[in-house]
C-alpha cells in the first residue's frame, strides 16, 4: 500500500530544489499501535491507534529546514515546502530531471508473526501475572504489552524511493513487593522486531523467577556504601554504561557541534585495549535493528572501537555533510515529527576472554552490579550517571552482601580507559533511547566487564 | 459521536491540534528551522461497562469510523470496570488564551535566535560551542466533547528560548543551559538565558568533589520541583489504587514535617497559566494535599474517587492517545516556624539521573549533582562529580524552613518557601 501518491512526493522534491535546496527528502509514516496494560490481575487499559504524517526536509549547505503535517493534500505540502524554501532565498532554480528508482536492499529477518486475538494475548499475560503472584509478598504486577507496526516511505532528490515495514513487539514486566514497611520493585522489558512468536519464545518461568529473586534480594538489601571502588558490571543491560558513557559521544549530532569530548579523537586510543565495540543494525530480530535507516540507507554493522582505538563515528546524512565522515545508515527518528539524526541501533561491547568468576576474583573490595538501571550523559562534558537495580558487595574476590541505592557516576573518557577486563557472556537487551530526534528502540549489550575504579553513590 | 450513540455506548472525544516554529543556530547561521502543524483525535468508549481507547492522526471519514470500531473492539477485550464512567456533566466551558501582541517579523525572530548562540560566544573566548540553543513558538488547542453533553475548549500559545555555554579551559570542560518561557515574544528574557548559562558554566569549570559525608542541602526551585514531581505517585489516588503509593494508607496521618503544607493551586496568581478544568471537564479549585505535615487528600479523577468512595478533586488528566490518569496543577509548598540558614550548606543547581536513579515505590533516590557550597553567607566553592542520596519521606521530615518569600521554578508551575534539608548523604572525594 502506498502512503502518498508518488507524483506528490516528487513534486515536493522538485519544488524544494527549485527553491534552492541542495537536497530534499520526504518521509511518510503510518504506524499502527496496539497496547494492553495488565494490572490488578486484569486488563485495564486496552488501546490502539494510528499515527500518520509527512516530514519534509530541505538541506542547504549545512542547514536543515524541516516541516511536518498530517495532511496528504498536495497544496498544503507544497505550501510547507515553500515556507521552508523561502529561508534559502534562491527561488526559480532549475535542476536536472530526477530518475526515481525503488531501492532494493537486503531485509533484516524479523521474528515470525502469527495471528492471535486479544483474548489469547490477555490469557498469556494472565499466566505471567499468576506466576509472579506465587510470592505472597508481591503487592502488584504490571505487564505492559505494546505492538507497533511502522510503515515508512522515503523519497529523496537523488532519486531514491525506499519503503520498509517495521514490526515492533515488547512486554514490560514490573513487580512490586512489600514486607511490612519495606517495599521494592523489579522490572524487565524484552522486545524484538517481529511478531507474536517472540512472545511465545520468551521463557516466562525463568523471567518470573529472576524478577522474584531480584525483588526478594533488594527488599532486604542494606544501603550501598559510597566512595570510589572497582565495579564488576554484568552483561545485557549492563551495556547501558557504554551506550551512555561512549555511544552518545560518538553520534555526529554531538561531534558536528564539537559538543562531544571525542570529536577530534578519530584514530586515537580512547579506551582500554581490552575493549572493542560495535553499533550493528543488522542483527536478525533484534529490537534496535532496521533494514534501512530513516534516510533510506541500508543499515550496516559499524565497528566503533577496536582494541581501544576509535575507528568510526555514528553518522547520518547531515553529519556526513558537516564532519566529512561517511554515513553509517544511522539516521533515525521517533516519527515524522522529528528530523532524522545520528542515533545508535544495537550497540554493544564485544566478547572478551574472561569468565565472570575471574573478574570477581580480581576484586579485593568493590561492587558487583548484577543488573543496571537507566542512565544519562551530557555528551559535551562526557559526564554520566547510572542507577544500579541489583548489586552486591565484593569482598576478597567473593560476592557477598546485597546492597541497594547504588549510582555510578563519572566521565566517558575516564571510564573507557578503566575497563580492564571483558568477559565472554555477551547478551543484548532492549531499551528506549531519548535524544534529539525523539525516543527510539535501541539495544544495549555487553559481556561482564570490570571497571578498575568508579565513583559509587550511596549512603555516606 | 453519532456512531457511538448508535452502538448504545458512552464516549468522550479529545481533539488536539498544534502548530509550531523552531529555530536553532550553529556557527553563526540557522542550522535547524522547523515548522509543523498536527492534529490527533482520540476516543474513549464505554460499552457494557468496559472501556476501550483508540486514536487517529488521519481525520478522513474512513479513519474516524475505524477509530470508533477499534475503540469498541478494545472495550470488548477488557473486563467491565464499574468504576469508570463518562461523567454526568453538561454545558460548555472554555479556557482560551488571549495574549494581545503585535506580529513579529520573521527576520527579527531569526536575528534573536542567532544571538542565543553569538551572544554567549562573544562574552567568553573559552566558549567552544553553544550545544543547546533554540527559539520556539507553539500554539495548542484542545477540544473535549462527551456523549453526556460536556464540552470544553482549551488553547494556549507559548514562546520559549534556550541557550547554553560549553566552555573549554585547557581541556577542562563545563556545560550549563538555561531557558525561559513566555506568552508573548516581547516578554522573552533573552539576556537572562545567555547570562545564566555563562555564569554557571564558568563556575562549573572550577568544580571540585566534596568529601564524602552528610551535608545540609538547599535545592534550587527547579531541582526541588524535579525531585517532588518525580515522586508524584505519593500524592496520586491512582497510584494508591494501583498499590504503588507508599502513603496509600496514611490519610489523616502525619507524613512530613509539621512545618510544611503542600497545596495544589490551579489558580495560583504567579503561575504561568491558570488551570480552570481537568480532562473530564471538572472545574478545578485549590486543594490542600498536606496541611501542617498531615496528609489531607490525594489527587483524584472520577475513577479513583469511585474506588475510594469520595468526590473527584478535578485532577483527571488524559491526552487524545492515553487513558485516564491523575495529575496536579501547580504545587505550592508553604512553611512555618522559620529558622536561620545554617552556617554551612550545599546549594544544588543541577541534578542529573533522577529518571533512573529514583525508586518511586520506596522514595529512595541517588543522583549526580552540581552546585555551590555556602559557608557563613559566602559561596566558597563549586561542587560537582558527586552523588546525593536520600529518601523523599525522610527528606521531607528532616527539613527546616529558612525563609518566607515564595520562590518559583523557571516554568512557573512549582512554588516553595526556601527550605534546607538536613543530613543528606554525599559521595564524593
Amino acid at each position: 500500500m502506498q502512503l502518498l501518491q508518488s507524483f506528490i512526493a516528487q513534486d515536493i522534491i522538485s519544488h524544494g530544489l527549485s527553491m534552492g535546496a541542495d537536497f530534499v527528502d520526504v518521509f511518510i509514516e503510518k504506524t499502527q499501535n496496539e497496547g494492553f496494560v495488565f494490572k490488578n490481575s486484569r486488563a485495564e487499559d486496552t488501546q490502539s491507534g494510528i499515527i500518520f504524517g509527512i516530514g519534509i526536509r530541505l538541506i542547504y549547505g549545512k542547514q536543515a529546514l524541516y516541516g511536518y503535517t498530517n495532511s496528504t493534500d498536495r497544496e498544503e505540502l507544497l505550501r510547507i515546502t515553500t515556507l521552508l524554501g523561502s529561508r534559502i532565498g534562491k527561488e526559480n532554480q532549475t535542476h536536472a530531471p530526477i530518475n526515481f528508482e525503488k531501492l532494493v536492499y537486503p531485509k533484516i529477518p524479523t521474528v515470525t508473526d502469527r495471528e492471535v486475538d486479544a483474548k489469547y494475548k490477555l490469557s498469556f499475560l494472565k499466566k505471567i501475572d499468576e506466576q509472579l503472584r506465587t510470592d505472597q509478598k508481591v503487592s502488584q504486577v504490571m505487564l505492559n504489552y505494546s505492538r507497533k507496526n511502522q510503515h515508512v516511505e522515503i523519497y529523496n532528490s537523488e532519486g531514491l524511493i525506499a519503503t520498509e515495514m517495521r514490526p515492533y513487539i515488547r512486554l514490560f514486566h514490573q513487580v512490586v513487593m512489600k514486607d511490612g514497611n519495606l517495599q521494592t520493585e523489579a522490572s524487565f522489558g524484552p522486545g524484538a522486531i517481529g511478531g507474536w512468536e517472540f512472545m511465545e519464545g520468551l521463557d516466562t518461568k525463568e523471567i518470573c523467577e529472576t524478577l522474584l529473586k531480584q525483588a526478594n534480594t533488594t527488599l532486604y538489601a542494606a544501603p550501598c556504601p559510597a566512595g570510589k571502588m572497582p565495579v564488576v558490571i554484568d552483561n545485557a543491560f549492563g551495556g547501558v554504561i557504554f551506550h551512555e558513557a561512549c555511544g552518545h559521544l560518538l553520534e555526529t549530532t554531538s561531534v558536528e557541534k564539537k559538543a562531544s569530548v571525542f570529536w577530534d579523537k578519530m584514530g586515537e586510543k580512547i579506551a582500554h585495549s581490552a575493549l572493542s565495540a560495535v553499533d550493528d543494525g543488522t542483527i536478525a530480530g533484534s529490537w534496535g535493528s532496521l533494514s534501512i535507516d530513516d534516510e533510506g540507507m541500508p543499515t550496516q554493522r559499524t565497528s566503533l572501537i577496536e582494541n581501544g582505538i576509535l575507528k568510526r563515528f555514528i553518522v547520518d546524512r547531515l553529519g556526513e555533510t558537516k564532519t566529512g565522515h561517511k554515513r553509517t545508515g544511522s539516521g533515525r527518528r521517533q516519527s515524522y515529527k522529528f528530523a532524522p539524526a545520528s542515533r545508535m541501533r544495537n550497540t554493544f561491547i564485544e566478547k572478551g576472554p574472561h569468565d565472570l568468576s575471574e573478574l570477581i576474583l580480581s576484586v579485593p573490595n568493590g561492587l558487583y552490579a548484577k543488573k543496571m538501571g537507566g542512565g544519562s550523559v551530557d555528551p559535551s562534558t562526557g559526564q554520566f550517571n547510572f542507577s544500579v537495580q541489583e548489586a552486591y558487595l565484593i569482598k576478597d574476590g567473593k560476592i557477598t552482601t546485597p546492597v541497594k541505592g547504588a549510582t555510578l557516576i563519572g566521565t566517558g573518557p575516564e571510564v573507557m580507559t578503566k575497563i580492564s577486563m571483558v568477559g565472554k557472556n555477551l547478551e543484548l537487551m532492549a531499551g528506549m533511547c531519548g535524544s534529539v530526534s525523539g525516543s527510539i528502540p535501541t539495544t544495549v549489550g555487553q559481556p561482564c566487564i570490570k571497571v578498575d575504579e568508579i565513583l559509587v553513590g550511596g549512603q555516606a | 459521536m453519532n456512531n457511538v450513540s448508535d452502538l448504545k455506548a458512552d464516549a468522550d472525544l479529545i481533539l488536539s491540534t498544534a502548530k509550531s516554529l523552531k529555530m536553532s543556530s550553529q556557527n553563526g547561521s540557522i542550522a535547524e528551522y522547523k515548522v509543523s502543524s498536527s492534529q490527533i483525535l482520540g476516543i474513549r468508549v464505554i460499552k457494557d461497562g468496559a472501556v476501550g481507547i483508540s486514536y487517529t492522526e488521519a481525520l478522513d471519514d474512513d479513519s474516524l469510523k475505524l477509530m470508533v470500531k477499534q475503540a469498541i473492539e478494545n472495550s470488548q477485550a477488557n473486563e467491565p470496570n464499574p468504576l469508570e464512567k463518562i461523567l454526568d456533566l453538561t454545558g460548555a466551558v472554555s479556557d482560551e488564551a488571549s495574549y494581545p501582541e503585535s506580529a513579529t517579523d520573521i527576520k527579527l525572530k531569526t536575528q534573536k535566535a542567532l544571538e542565543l548562540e553569538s551572544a554567549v560566544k562573544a562574552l567568553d573566548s573559552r566558549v567552544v560551542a553553544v550545544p543547546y540553543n533554540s527559539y520556539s513558538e507553539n500554539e495548542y488547542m484542545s477540544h473535549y466533547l462527551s456523549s453526556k453533553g460536556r464540552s470544553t475548549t482549551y488553547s494556549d500559545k507559548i514562546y520559549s528560548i534556550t541557550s547554553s555555554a560549553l566552555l573549554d579551559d585547557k581541556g577542562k570542560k563545563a556545560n550549563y543551559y538555561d531557558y525561559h518561557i513566555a506568552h508573548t515574544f516581547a516578554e522573552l528574557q533573552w539576556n537572562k538565558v545567555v547570562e545564566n548559562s555563562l555564569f554557571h558554566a564558568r563556575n562549573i569549570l572550577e568544580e571540585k568533589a566534596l568529601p564524602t559525608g552528610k551535608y545540609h542541602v538547599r535545592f534550587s526551585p527547579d531541582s526541588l520541583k524535579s525531585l517532588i514531581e518525580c515522586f508524584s505517585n505519593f500524592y496520586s489516588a491512582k497510584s494508591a489504587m494501583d498499590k504503588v503509593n507508599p502513603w496509600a494508607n496514611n490519610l489523616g496521618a502525619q507524613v512530613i514535617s509539621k512545618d510544611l503544607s503542600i497545596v495544589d493551586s490551579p489558580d495560583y496568581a504567579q503561575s504561568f497559566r491558570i488551570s480552570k478544568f481537568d480532562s473530564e471537564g471538572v472545574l478545578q479549585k485549590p486543594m490542600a494535599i498536606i496541611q501542617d505535615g498531615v496528609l489531607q487528600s490525594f489527587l483524584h479523577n472520577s475513577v479513583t474517587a469511585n474506588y475510594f468512595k469520595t468526590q473527584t478533586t478535578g485532577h483527571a488528566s488524559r491526552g487524545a492517545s492515553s487513558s485516564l490518569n491523575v495529575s496536579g496543577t501547580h504545587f505550592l509548598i508553604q512553611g512555618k516556624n522559620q529558622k536561620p540558614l545554617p552556617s554551612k550548606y550545599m546549594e544544588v543547581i543541577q541534578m542529573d539521573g533522577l529518571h533512573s536513579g529514583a525508586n518511586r515505590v520506596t522514595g529512595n533516590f541517588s543522583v549526580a549533582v552540581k552546585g555551590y557550597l555556602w559557608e557563613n553567607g559566602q559561596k566558597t566553592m563549586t561542587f560537582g562529580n558527586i552523588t546525593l542520596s536520600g529518601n523523599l519521606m525522610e527528606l521531607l521530615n528532616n527539613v527546616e524552613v529558612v525563609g518566607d518569600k515564595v520562590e518559583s521554578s523557571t516554568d512557573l508551575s512549582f512554588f516553595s518557601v526556601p527550605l534546607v534539608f538536613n543530613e543528606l548523604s554525599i559521595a564524593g572525594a
Side-chain angles (χ1 to χ4, degrees), chain B residues 205-242:
Chain B
L205 264 184
E206 310 298 324
E207 73 180 10
K208 292 176 190 156
L210 285 168
T212 297
K214 301 268 190 184
Y215 291 81
H216 298 301
V217 175
R218 183 173 175 187
F219 294 95
S220 70
D222 284 342
S223 298
L224 187 58
K225 169 186 149 82
S226 300
L227 193 61
I228 296 293
E229 286 188 352
C230 175
F231 295 102
S232 58
N233 56 308
F234 281 53
Y235 324 107
S236 162
K238 176 94 167 37
S239 300
M241 198 171 88
D242 291 342

Side-chain angles (χ1 to χ4, degrees), chain A residues 30 32-34 36-53 62-71 76 79-80 83-84 86-87 118-119 122 126 139-140 142 174 176-178 183-185 226-228 244 256-261 263 318 322 336-339 373-381 383-388 404-411 436 455-460, chain B residues 20 23 26-27 29-40 51-58 63 66 70-71 73-82 84 106-107 110 128-132 166 173-176 204 207 212-214 238 241-246 249 321-323 350 352-362 364-370 384-389 394 424-429:
Chain A
K30 185 172 188 179
Q32 173 78 48
N33 288 319
E34 167 192 287
F36 303 114
V37 176
F38 197 87
K39 189 168 53 180
N40 296 314
S41 297
R42 50 186 273 164
E44 289 214 340
D45 185 2
T46 305
Q47 57 176 276
S48 56
I50 294 166
I51 300 294
F52 178 82
K62 294 180 178 178
Q63 297 182 41
L65 309 161
Y66 192 74
Y68 67 82
T69 178
N70 306 117
S71 173
E76 171 63 5
R79 187 191 70 78
I80 290 173
L83 188 62
L84 298 173
S86 64
R87 299 287 305 174
K119 285 203 161 48
L122 290 170
K126 192 165 187 292
S139 58
Q140 184 60 286
M142 284 175 277
Q174 186 183 14
V176 180
M177 192 175 271
K178 190 173 181 184
Q183 280 200 79
T184 193
E185 62 180 338
K228 288 187 175 176
E244 297 290 350
E256 71 198 24
K257 298 175 191 163
K258 299 182 182 176
S260 160
V261 289
W263 75 272
L318 206 56
K322 290 182 175 181
Y336 68 91
K337 291 184 178 176
F338 297 84
S376 62
V377 66
D378 178 348
S380 62
T381 60
Q383 292 179 335
F384 62 75
N385 60 81
F386 308 100
S387 66
V388 186
K404 62 184 173 189
T407 304
L408 309 182
I409 74 164
T411 67
V436 61
L455 179 60
V456 177
Q459 197 164 80
Chain B
S20 71
M23 285 185 263
Q26 192 179 330
N27 298 327
S29 60
I30 296 296
E32 184 193 8
Y33 181 87
K34 188 173 175 181
V35 293
S36 74
S37 66
S38 61
Q39 62 198 12
I40 183 168
V51 182
I53 289 170
S54 184
Y55 54 89
T56 179
E57 290 185 342
S63 297
L66 178 64
Q70 286 187 334
E73 286 173 1
N74 290 340
S75 74
Q76 289 165 348
N78 283 340
E79 291 173 40
N81 179 1
E84 188 156 352
I106 188 69
K107 286 182 182 167
T110 305
V128 291
V130 182
Y132 310 108
L166 172 59
K173 294 181 192 300
N175 185 28
Y176 191 86
I204 290 169
E207 73 180 10
T212 297
K214 301 268 190 184
K238 176 94 167 37
M241 198 171 88
D242 291 342
K243 302 181 179 68
V244 288
N245 182 342
N249 300 317
S321 61
S322 60
S323 56
Q350 186 178 321
D352 295 311
L354 196 56
H355 71 288
S356 59
N359 185 323
R360 288 157 185 82
V361 173
T362 63
N364 292 330
F365 63 90
S366 184
V367 290
V369 292
K370 294 181 190 295
N385 295 320
I386 62 172
T387 66
L388 182 153
S389 304
E394 291 170 14
L424 288 175
S425 281
I426 294 296

Side-chain angles (χ1 to χ4, degrees), chain A residues 5 31 61 75 91 93 113 119 128 147 158 171 190 199 207 213 215-217 239 246 252 270 278 281 295 331 340 455:
Chain A
Q5 290 177 286
T31 296
E75 299 312 313
E91 291 176 29
Q93 301 293 303
D113 198 9
K119 285 203 161 48
I128 298 175
R147 179 80 193 270
E158 292 169 349
L171 179 60
M199 299 286 286
I207 290 170
K213 189 177 171 210
N216 268 300
T217 302
C246 191
T252 47
I270 63 163
V278 298
E295 298 180 317
L455 179 60

Side-chain angles (χ1 to χ4, degrees), chain B residues 57-126:
Chain B
E57 290 185 342
L59 299 189
D60 56 274
D61 281 353
D62 288 345
S63 297
L64 297 182
K65 283 176 184 162
L66 178 64
M67 179 186 74
V68 173
K69 179 173 172 280
Q70 286 187 334
I72 295 286
E73 286 173 1
N74 290 340
S75 74
Q76 289 165 348
N78 283 340
E79 291 173 40
N81 179 1
L83 300 173
E84 188 156 352
K85 296 183 169 73
I86 303 297
L87 273 184
D88 212 359
L89 291 173
T90 57
V93 283
S94 174
D95 183 9
E96 295 187 66
S98 176
Y99 311 106
E101 62 174 333
S102 51
T104 306
D105 189 273
I106 188 69
K107 286 182 182 167
L108 178 59
K109 293 176 182 175
T110 305
Q111 178 200 323
K112 299 297 286 182
L114 289 167
E115 286 173 8
L116 289 169
E117 182 193 34
S118 62
V120 179
K121 286 186 167 177
L123 288 170
D124 197 314
S125 61
R126 296 171 299 174

Side-chain angles (χ1 to χ4, degrees), chain B residues 248-405:
Chain B
N249 300 317
N250 289 0
L251 273 179
Q254 190 193 327
V255 290
I256 64 172
S257 165
K258 289 178 181 172
D259 293 341
L260 298 186
S261 297
I262 300 179
V263 177
D264 183 81
S265 184
D267 60 352
Y268 195 63
Q270 280 72 46
S271 62
F272 184 70
R273 180 76 155 86
I274 284 172
S275 184
K276 292 185 178 172
F277 46 79
D278 72 359
S279 297
E280 292 184 289
V282 176
L283 299 179
Q284 296 179 311
K285 56 186 180 186
M287 184 192 92
I289 300 170
I290 293 171
Q291 182 69 48
D292 300 329
V294 175
L295 184 61
Q296 305 289 320
S297 174
F298 294 122
L299 305 177
H300 283 280
N301 60 30
S302 67
V303 175
T304 64
N306 288 338
Y307 181 85
F308 288 104
K309 298 183 172 49
T310 184
Q311 299 294 310
T312 176
T313 57
H315 291 95
S317 64
R318 183 166 101 77
S321 61
S322 60
S323 56
L324 196 65
N325 209 321
V326 159
S327 68
T329 59
H330 312 115
F331 262 35
L332 169 63
I333 301 182
Q334 299 166 320
K336 62 181 186 184
N337 197 14
Q338 188 179 328
K339 301 273 173 47
L341 271 168
S343 59
K344 181 180 177 182
Y345 67 91
M346 296 165 56
E347 178 194 3
V348 170
I349 61 162
Q350 186 178 321
M351 193 156 51
D352 295 311
L354 196 56
H355 71 288
S356 59
N359 185 323
R360 288 157 185 82
V361 173
T362 63
N364 292 330
F365 63 90
S366 184
V367 290
V369 292
K370 294 181 190 295
Y372 305 115
L373 184 69
W374 289 79
E375 292 174 285
N376 302 314
Q378 304 288 321
K379 256 184 212 177
T380 54
M381 71 173 276
T382 306
F383 62 79
N385 295 320
I386 62 172
T387 66
L388 182 153
S389 304
N391 174 281
L392 184 79
M393 291 175 275
E394 291 170 14
L395 178 117
L396 290 172
N397 269 300
N398 196 8
V399 58
E400 307 288 358
V401 177
V402 293
D404 56 6
K405 189 179 173 196

